[in-house]
Amino acid sequence: MTPAHGREPIPPGADVSRPDAALVVDHLTKRFGQRAAYEDVSFEVGYGEVFGFLGPNGAGKTTMVRTLGTLLAPTSGSAVVAGIPLDLEAGSHIRARISIMPESPGLYLRLTVAENLECFAGLYELTDIRERIAKGLQAVNLTDRANDLCGSLSKGLRQRVALARALLNDPAVLFLDEPTSGLDPVATRDVHELIAALRDQGVTIFLTTHRLEEAERLCHRVAILNTTLLLIGRPDELRERLFTRGLDVRTRVPLADPGAVFDRLADVQGWDQSASGSYVLQVTDPDATAPRVARALVAVDADILSLVETRHSLEDVYLELVEDDVEAQRR
Amino acid sequence: MSFSWTRVEAIFRKELRDYRRNRFVIFTMSALPLLFIVLTMIQLFAINTGSSAKLNDRIGISMLYLLIIPTMVPSALTAYSVVGEREQGTLEAVLITPVRSEEFLVGKALAAFTPTVLIAYALFGLFLGAAELFAHPGVLSAIFERSHVLVQLLFTPLLAGWSIWMGIAISARSTDVRAAQQLAVFASLPPLGVVALLSFDVIPASVALALGLAAALLVLDGFGWRAVAAIFDRERLITGSRD
C-alpha cells in the first residue's frame, strides 16, 4: 500500500499539528430525540496521523464515525472530511474518499474473499480491480485465502478481510471502529501489526476503541469522549497534564522513619507510603531527584530494591477522567 | 455524484452470486415455478374443446397460474433484500461506500427481476410447447386467438416489477425478515387480481384494455424505484431508530 496522497509517515510522538487537516470537526452534536449521542465536539486530525478516539460503551464513538461517514446527519455543528464539507448532498463524494471498517466486518458469507472485495471495488468504481484486490489481500496477508468462502473464515480472518476491503480505495482517511472487538489475543496482535504497518506508511487513521493499550501503542494523539470531549492530546501529554510526576521507591525493610529521610530533600514535594517498604514521592524532576533520594537512603543504611519514575498509563488517565465524569453526571 | 451503472452492476452481480449459493433462494426459485407449471399442465391436459366458455376458463386458469410465478418469486427475494442485509450486518458495510440509495435499490431490483422473468418466460415457452405437442388441437389455436399470449408477454415483467418494488419497500421499513416476506406476498397480489379478472373474462379482455393496464403498471413500476428510494432512510436503517 502506498501512503495516502503520497505523504510521508509521521513517527509516533511527533508533532502532528498541520494546517491541511484530514478531519476538522467543529462543535458537532448528534441527538436522537432528547438523548445526546455526543455533544459540542471539536477536534482536528492531520494527514498521516493516527488519531485514537477513546470512550466507554455508549460514549458516542461509533455515532461520530457514522456521522463523519455521512451515514447520520449531525444535529448541529460542522465538519470537513478529507477536504469536503460534511453535507448529506456531498455524501457520495465524501464516502468515495474515505473508508470505514465497522465493528462488525459485514462480509457476505456465501461469497469468497475475492468476490466480496470485487463487489466493493465495483462500488468504489475502481478500474484496476484485480490489482487493487491483490494489493489489499497482500496488505493483510491473505493472498492465499482469496478463494475461500468468507463464511469459512475465523472472526480474526474476517476482520482482516474487512481491513483489506477498507484499503481498496486508498482512502484519504481510514476509520476503524473497534477493530479488535471480540478478537482473541493472537488475532488482536495481528490486527495491531497491520494498523502499525499502515501508520508507518502514512495512512491517516481514525481509530475508535476502548482498549487503552491499543490506543497507546498505535496512536499519535488520542481524544477521550464521554458524550462530550473530555481531553485531547498525545498520550504522554495527557499523563503530564493529569498526574504529578513521581518516584516509586522500594526498600527491603520498611524505613524506621521515612519522614526523616524524605522531608529533608528539597525536591520532594510530598510522599506517601503505598505498602510496607514502598513509597511514592512527588517530585518535579525525577531525573534530578532520583540520585539524591538514593544517597539519602544509603545514608540511613536502607537496602534499595528499586527506585524508578512513576509510570502512569493511558488507562490511569482514562479512568481518572471517565470516573470523574460519571460521578459528576450522577451528582 | 451522478447515477452510476458500475455500482448498480456491482450490487447486481453480488446478489446473483449470493442467490446461487443460498438454498432458500434456490428453493423459492425452483419449487414455486415447478408447482405452478405442474398445475398449469394439469389444466392443459384436462382441456377439451367441447364448450368454448369452458375452454376459455381453463386456459384462463392456466395463464393465471403462470402469472403467479413472476408475482410470488420476486416478492420472496426482495422482501429479504434490505432487512436481510441489516440482520446479517452487511448493510452498513455497503452504505458506507459511495453507493447511492437509488443505485443500491436498482441493483437489488434487477437481480430479482432478471431470473424471475427468465424463468417465467421459459415456463410459458414450455407451456406453449406442451400445448403444441400434447394438448387437444383446438387448445393452441384458442390460446393464440385471444389476447392470452400478449397478456403473458406484457404482464410477466410488469407484475414482477410491481412485486419487486413492493417487496423492497416493505423490506426497507421492516425489522424482521419473516414479517417482511409475509407482507410482501400480500402486497404483490392486487395487480394479479386485475389480471385474473381479465383471464376469466369478468372484465372483457381486449388488446386495448390489456395495453392500458400494462401502461398503468409500467408507470407504477417506473415510479417505484423513486418512491422506494424516498422511503429508504439510511439513518433509520443503520440506527434502528423509529424517529
Side-chain angles (χ1 to χ4, degrees):
Chain A
M1 284 283 142
T2 53
H5 308 292
R7 291 167 195 275
E8 288 300 310
I10 303 172
D15 180 7
V16 287
S17 54
R18 286 172 173 230
D20 51 344
L23 286 174
V24 180
V25 173
D26 188 20
H27 299 290
L28 211 59
T29 295
K30 176 64 185 176
R31 290 182 168 278
F32 295 106
Q34 292 299 306
R35 186 181 67 82
Y38 57 81
E39 198 157 26
D40 198 26
V41 175
S42 300
F43 60 85
E44 288 189 14
V45 178
Y47 279 111
E49 184 179 2
V50 179
F51 187 79
F53 210 55
L54 312 181
N57 293 331
K61 305 185 297 294
T62 297
T63 306
M64 174 62 76
V65 170
R66 288 171 169 172
T67 307
L68 296 177
T70 75
L71 286 177
L72 307 179
T75 307
S76 63
S78 63
V80 177
V81 182
I84 305 171
L86 184 64
D87 180 332
L88 284 188
E89 292 298 309
S92 247
H93 293 282
I94 290 175
R95 293 196 300 273
R97 297 207 63 201
I98 64 171
S99 265
I100 301 177
M101 181 175 138
E103 186 176 344
S104 161
L107 301 171
Y108 294 103
L109 301 182
R110 284 185 284 267
L111 268 57
T112 65
V113 170
E115 286 168 346
N116 264 278
L117 297 183
E118 191 184 314
C119 170
F120 284 85
L123 295 176
Y124 283 106
E125 293 189 285
L126 303 177
T127 48
D128 47 347
I129 290 179
R130 280 169 188 260
E131 195 183 319
R132 296 274 190 151
I133 291 174
K135 277 170 73 177
L137 290 176
Q138 198 178 1
V140 298
N141 306 319
L142 275 182
T143 305
D144 57 335
R145 308 298 293 267
N147 295 318
D148 288 10
L149 289 178
C150 284
S152 70
L153 301 179
S154 68
K155 195 170 180 185
L157 291 182
R158 288 181 196 176
Q159 206 72 346
R160 282 160 63 174
V161 177
L163 189 53
R165 181 184 65 199
L167 295 171
L168 279 175
N169 64 329
D170 200 5
V173 186
L174 173 60
F175 292 86
L176 303 177
D177 190 10
E178 308 273 5
T180 55
S181 175
L183 298 188
D184 64 39
V186 175
T188 298
R189 186 197 59 197
D190 288 348
V191 172
H192 283 173
E193 284 172 1
L194 292 170
I195 296 171
L198 294 172
R199 178 194 62 198
D200 296 342
Q201 290 163 14
V203 177
T204 308
I205 298 175
F206 185 94
L207 172 73
T208 78
T209 183
H210 52 233
R211 292 192 175 195
L212 301 157
E213 79 287 356
E214 182 171 283
E216 185 145 35
R217 181 180 161 193
L218 298 169
C219 299
H220 297 108
R221 284 192 307 149
V222 296
I224 298 177
L225 179 83
N226 195 12
T227 308
T228 55
L229 198 61
L230 303 178
L231 203 62
I232 186 166
R234 291 201 307 265
D236 54 341
E237 273 178 1
L238 301 186
R239 281 192 288 266
E240 281 176 24
R241 244 189 273 177
L242 281 184
F243 297 104
T244 53
R245 300 183 77 182
L247 288 170
D248 281 332
V249 179
R250 283 182 61 224
T251 54
R252 196 170 59 81
V253 178
L255 298 173
D257 185 4
V261 179
F262 301 131
D263 289 343
R264 285 194 314 198
L265 296 169
D267 302 345
V268 176
Q269 293 153 343
W271 62 274
D272 196 11
Q273 186 163 358
S274 57
S276 179
S278 293
Y279 309 90
V280 179
L281 314 185
Q282 291 161 26
V283 299
T284 48
D285 185 352
D287 291 344
T289 308
R292 292 182 199 127
V293 172
R295 281 195 291 273
L297 289 168
V298 169
V300 294
D301 282 339
D303 295 330
I304 304 170
L305 294 178
S306 66
L307 173 55
V308 293
E309 184 179 350
T310 309
R311 295 296 302 176
H312 287 287
S313 66
L314 187 58
E315 186 171 350
D316 297 327
V317 173
Y318 177 88
L319 291 174
E320 178 86 6
L321 282 170
V322 173
E323 282 179 356
D324 283 356
D325 193 50
V326 169
E327 279 174 24
Q329 285 174 11
R330 280 188 192 137
R331 286 196 294 272
Chain B
M1 205 172 268
S2 56
F3 190 92
S4 161
W5 284 103
T6 306
R7 291 196 285 264
V8 170
E9 189 191 344
I11 296 289
F12 174 78
R13 288 165 66 96
K14 185 277 293 175
E15 286 287 296
L16 291 188
R17 279 176 169 153
D18 207 32
Y19 288 169
R20 282 209 313 265
R21 294 173 195 158
N22 186 334
R23 270 181 286 183
F24 168 75
V25 171
I26 299 290
F27 174 78
T28 305
M29 282 196 172
S30 53
L32 274 177
L34 197 65
L35 171 69
F36 287 108
I37 194 65
V38 167
L39 290 172
T40 306
M41 290 299 181
I42 290 170
Q43 288 295 325
L44 181 68
F45 296 128
I47 291 173
N48 62 54
T49 53
S51 147
S52 169
K54 208 167 182 183
L55 171 68
N56 198 49
D57 276 357
R58 292 278 190 171
I59 292 175
I61 292 170
S62 300
M63 295 296 171
L64 192 61
Y65 283 147
L66 288 173
L67 284 176
I68 290 175
I69 295 166
T71 310
M72 302 286 272
V73 169
S75 67
L77 297 180
T78 52
Y80 181 84
S81 61
V82 181
V83 68
E85 289 231 19
R86 194 174 159 191
E87 279 193 0
Q88 66 180 11
T90 50
L91 188 62
E92 184 172 1
V94 172
L95 296 184
I96 55 186
T97 68
V99 73
R100 291 165 43 152
S101 303
E102 295 87 345
E103 295 158 352
F104 176 76
L105 296 171
V106 170
K108 290 270 182 187
L110 285 176
F113 182 84
T114 307
T116 298
V117 170
L118 287 177
I119 290 170
Y121 278 159
L123 292 181
F124 184 51
L126 185 68
F127 170 78
L128 291 179
E132 166 74 29
L133 293 173
F134 307 114
H136 193 282
V139 172
L140 192 66
S141 58
I143 291 170
F144 279 100
E145 263 173 26
R146 306 181 69 88
S147 53
H148 293 305
V149 175
L150 179 71
V151 166
Q152 284 294 324
L153 293 179
L154 270 182
F155 282 88
T156 292
L158 293 171
L159 286 172
W162 168 271
S163 290
I164 284 166
W165 290 125
M166 291 307 291
I168 294 179
I170 288 166
S171 190
R173 304 298 293 185
S174 296
T175 53
D176 179 72
V177 171
R178 282 164 301 181
Q181 283 171 336
Q182 286 165 8
L183 285 172
V185 169
F186 283 116
S188 65
L189 293 177
L192 190 63
V194 178
V195 177
L197 296 177
L198 271 174
S199 297
F200 293 123
D201 269 349
V202 176
I203 301 171
S206 69
V207 172
L209 183 63
L211 288 175
L213 285 172
L217 259 180
L218 185 64
V219 170
L220 287 174
D221 287 350
F223 281 105
W225 73 277
R226 287 184 185 277
V228 177
I231 63 166
F232 188 85
D233 181 350
R234 284 173 182 250
E235 182 154 337
R236 195 190 67 83
L237 287 166
I238 294 299
T239 62
S241 157
R242 292 179 183 274
D243 296 340

